[in-house]
Amino acid sequence: MISPILIPILGVSCALLAIFGGVVVRPWLRFQQRKLEVEAELARERASIDAARQERLEARVAVLERIVTDRGLGLSDEIERLRDKPLN
């Protein structure tokens, strides 16, 4: 058998729990959600910056590869011509 005093205590406890949930828990959950949204936006910005940096680096490497391969053929031809020349 439930004591008659427990019924008002349980009612007040439920009310306090609901108030606590509305005043503390709900704003905390909203804060956590907003924090995740901000972190996701920062991650997107960092990814965008990294992608742009990677594109620039790939373009520079492509230019360097062209320089090396183009100059390499000319350089090897020049070495062969010098090799074929008689020494004076």
Side-chain angles (χ1 to χ4, degrees):
M1 180 142 220
I2 298 177
S3 172
I5 193 78
L6 284 178
I7 294 173
I9 291 174
L10 288 174
V12 170
S13 297
C14 288
L16 289 175
L17 186 61
I19 291 170
F20 179 78
V23 172
V24 176
V25 175
R26 188 179 302 160
W28 182 80
L29 289 174
R30 281 191 202 132
F31 171 75
Q32 292 300 320
Q33 181 179 1
R34 180 67 182 134
K35 181 179 162 185
L36 288 174
E37 290 170 355
V38 168
E39 288 174 354
E41 180 63 29
L42 287 174
R44 279 192 294 274
E45 288 175 9
R46 276 190 229 120
S48 174
I49 290 169
D50 290 343
R53 182 176 295 142
Q54 182 177 354
E55 279 183 34
R56 285 193 311 271
L57 288 174
E58 287 175 355
R60 291 178 72 182
V61 167
V63 168
L64 290 173
E65 286 174 343
R66 257 194 327 265
I67 290 170
V68 168
T69 56
D70 291 350
R71 181 69 179 135
L73 288 176
L75 187 59
S76 66
D77 291 342
E78 193 174 326
I79 290 171
E80 290 302 319
R81 274 195 309 266
L82 289 173
R83 208 177 269 162
D84 294 339
K85 258 188 180 181
L87 294 174
N88 292 349

